[in-house]
Amino acid sequence: MTCGTFLLVSGASPRTVMKVLGHSQIGLTVNTYAHVLPDIERAAVDEAAKHFFG
């Protein structure tokens, strides 16, 4: 599980993680790593807000 978490936190897409780990379905990857996805989504929104609003 560490490899998938590290990849996601480093900016890899869930689809990339799925391929690297050999998961057959994206749902398996997303469900397994759901605990880190909210933090990643929040960071993406914060980064976008910096670009739009300074």
Side-chain angles (χ1 to χ4, degrees), residues 2-6 8-9 11-13 15-17 25-26 45 49 53-54:
T2 302
C3 179
T5 301
F6 179 76
L8 288 166
V9 171
S13 71
R15 180 140 323 261
T16 299
V17 175
Q25 297 181 355
I26 192 68
V45 170
F53 306 114

Side-chain angles (χ1 to χ4, degrees), residues 1 3-5 7-8 13-33:
M1 208 164 359
C3 179
T5 301
L7 287 169
L8 288 166
S13 71
R15 180 140 323 261
T16 299
V17 175
M18 178 191 88
K19 290 179 180 182
V20 169
L21 298 179
H23 293 165
S24 60
Q25 297 181 355
I26 192 68
L28 174 61
T29 306
V30 172
N31 289 336
T32 301
Y33 297 98

